[in-house]
């Protein structure tokens, strides 16, 4: 690779220049920069992207869109960016999107099905090449989200959109494992902090809690319902510690709620995990920095993001793609009573 060949002025290099530097045809350069219509081996894709970066090659996005019908943009809808778990998901999807030659537009639905439908329409009108939906709304209007020819996948939970692919974890099995871990610590009265009664993720995690207790022959502890937020967790936590029959352990359906529960316990002088052991769901970045650090069920976010974006690429190429369900992993920390040598 000559020095002169890598010093083209930014934006002035041509597809032929990139092809020559990468040792491929101009067609392969087009497949990489347009994410299709044919797939390219990862090593070749990397070589083309490195050559394009070295030459400062920038395809004309408007012209490319008119010619190919592709914008190299993906749209993603998340409920709330202030929730670090959703923010982590968005970062993982963006990383996967960039690896496939896409940029990512992220919008917030504020947990409104009406807003979700509006954003679907907006992304479609902008001619994005695919849409990734992370919904916490559970009602019977999911069909409105599937009314698009744009490749569309659901992420985090399956909301039952007709024709939509889903990339999620087994929330029920994960919750069951988390509660089982509390039982293994000797707890026989285990409560639940969860969101408002509904279908979807919250319901699946609640059923997993029930499963674990039933498997162990234990009666269900008290349920405290509140919004999936720090404030909601604080409200539920205060109700929990003030209860006349407070449980010795609690499974919390999300880290963001667990953060509020921990504050409530501290305010009430409840010692954790001695007087209240906690296991939560998500293992988001903040869960490692609560005091005590949260034991939690972790989702393979990066793997899920890669699979979701890969599915969109396949759908655009008219190749077969399937939904996938992933398993969670128990991350042991101090909030459940695991010794420091086991905590991560």
């Amino acid at each position: 690779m000559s020095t002169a060949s890598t010093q083209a002025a930014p934006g002035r290099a041509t597809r032929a220049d990139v092809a020559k530097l990468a040792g491929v045809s101009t067609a392969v350069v087009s497949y990489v920069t347009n994410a299709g219509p044919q797939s390219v081996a990862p090593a070749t894709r990397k070589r083309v992207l490195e050559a394009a970066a070295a030459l400062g090659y920038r395809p004309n996005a408007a012209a490319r869109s008119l010619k190919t019908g592709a914008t190299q943009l993906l749209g993603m809808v998340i409920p709330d960016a202030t929730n670090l778990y959703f923010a982590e998901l968005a970062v993982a999807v963006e990383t996967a999107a960039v690896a496939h030659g896409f940029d990512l537009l992220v919008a917030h639905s504020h947990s409104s099905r009406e807003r979700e439908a509006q954003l679907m329409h907006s992304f479609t009108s902008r001619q994005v090449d695919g849409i990734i939906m992370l919904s916490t709304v559970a009602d019977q209007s999911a069909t409105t989200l599937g009314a698009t020819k744009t490749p569309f996948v659901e992420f985090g939970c399956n909301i039952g959109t007709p024709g939509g692919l889903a990339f999620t974890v087994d929330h029920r099995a994960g919750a069951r494992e988390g509660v089982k871990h509390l039982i293994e610590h000797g707890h026989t009265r285990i409560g639940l902090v969860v969101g408002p009664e509904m279908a979807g993720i919250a319901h699946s995690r609640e059923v997993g809690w029930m499963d674990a207790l039933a498997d162990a022959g234990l009666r269900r502890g008290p349920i405290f319902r509140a919004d999936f937020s720090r404030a909601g967790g604080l409200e539920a936590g205060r109700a929990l510690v003030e209860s006349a029959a407070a449980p010795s352990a609690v499974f919390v359906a999300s880290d963001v709620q667990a953060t509020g529960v921990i504050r409530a316990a501290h305010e009430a002088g409840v010692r954790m995990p001695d007087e209240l052991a906690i296991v939560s769901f998500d293992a988001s970045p903040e869960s490692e920095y609560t005091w005590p650090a949260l034991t939690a069920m972790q989702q393979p976010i990066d793997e899920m993001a890669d699979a979701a974006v890969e599915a969109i690429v396949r759908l655009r190429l008219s190749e077969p793609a399937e939904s996938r369900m992933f398993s969670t992993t128990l991350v042991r920390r101090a909030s459940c009573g695991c010794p420091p040598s086991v905590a991560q």
Side-chain angles (χ1 to χ4, degrees):
M1 186 183 298
S2 69
T3 302
S5 66
T6 62
Q7 294 181 340
R12 298 182 64 179
T14 67
R15 187 184 304 168
D17 294 329
V18 176
K20 181 178 180 180
L21 185 59
V24 298
S25 67
T26 55
V28 170
V29 175
S30 177
Y31 299 153
V32 171
T33 58
N34 293 323
Q38 295 187 24
S39 57
V40 177
T44 303
R45 179 189 299 277
K46 180 180 179 182
R47 197 162 70 246
V48 170
L49 292 175
E50 289 176 346
L55 293 171
Y57 175 67
R58 298 291 185 273
N60 185 314
R64 178 181 62 195
S65 179
L66 288 172
K67 182 177 180 180
T68 67
T71 59
Q72 300 308 116
L73 291 174
L74 299 182
M76 183 176 186
V77 180
I78 62 175
D80 179 12
T82 64
N83 184 322
L84 291 185
Y85 169 66
F86 296 138
E88 185 183 14
L89 291 180
V91 170
V93 170
E94 181 181 33
T95 300
V98 169
H100 285 277
F102 295 101
D103 287 324
L104 182 70
L105 301 177
V106 180
H108 309 154
S109 69
H110 305 290
S111 297
S112 163
R113 178 49 54 81
E114 180 180 0
R115 179 60 178 159
E116 287 176 352
Q118 290 173 348
L119 290 171
M120 287 286 289
H121 176 75
S122 176
F123 280 144
T124 302
S125 66
R126 291 170 184 264
Q127 298 183 322
V128 298
D129 297 322
I131 299 174
I132 297 170
M133 171 70 72
L134 200 161
S135 177
T136 59
V137 182
D139 59 30
Q140 302 303 312
S141 59
T143 53
T144 63
L145 301 180
T148 175
K149 295 182 179 179
T150 303
F152 168 68
V153 301
E154 298 161 16
F155 195 64
C157 93
N158 187 341
I159 58 176
T161 305
L165 298 179
F167 297 86
T168 183
V169 297
D170 191 333
H171 298 279
R172 180 174 178 175
R176 182 192 300 122
E177 183 180 355
V179 177
K180 180 181 176 182
H181 184 68
L182 288 170
I183 294 171
E184 290 170 347
H185 273 286
H187 296 283
T188 58
R189 182 167 171 78
I190 301 172
L192 173 71
V193 172
V194 70
E197 192 167 5
M198 60 170 64
I201 289 176
H203 178 69
S204 296
R205 295 179 186 179
E206 183 173 336
V207 172
W209 168 75
M210 294 185 217
D211 288 343
L213 296 177
D215 292 342
L218 298 176
R219 297 180 61 181
R220 298 175 191 172
I223 298 177
F224 303 90
R225 299 189 187 278
D227 291 338
F228 277 110
S229 65
R230 296 172 184 84
L234 180 61
E235 175 189 343
R238 285 171 174 166
L240 186 156
V241 298
E242 292 170 3
S243 171
S248 65
V250 63
F251 178 73
V252 187
S254 70
D255 291 344
V256 68
Q257 287 180 314
T259 301
V261 171
I262 287 175
R263 174 179 164 180
H266 282 306
E267 289 178 344
V270 174
R271 292 178 296 119
M272 296 169 285
D274 298 337
E275 295 176 309
L276 180 66
I278 302 174
V279 171
S280 66
F281 205 109
D282 290 333
S284 59
E286 68 180 326
S287 67
E288 188 175 358
Y289 298 96
T290 59
W291 189 258
L294 276 166
T295 293
M297 302 308 302
Q298 186 173 56
Q299 305 185 46
I301 289 175
D302 292 339
E303 188 179 355
M304 292 165 63
D306 289 340
V309 174
E310 177 67 26
I312 286 179
V313 172
R314 287 182 171 276
L315 291 171
R316 292 188 65 248
L317 298 175
S318 298
E319 295 179 357
E322 297 181 347
S323 297
R324 288 185 61 186
M325 180 176 284
F326 298 81
S327 297
T328 55
T329 302
L330 177 66
V331 178
R332 294 174 174 85
R333 299 194 182 107
S335 69
C336 64
C338 282
S341 60
V342 178
Q344 298 178 0

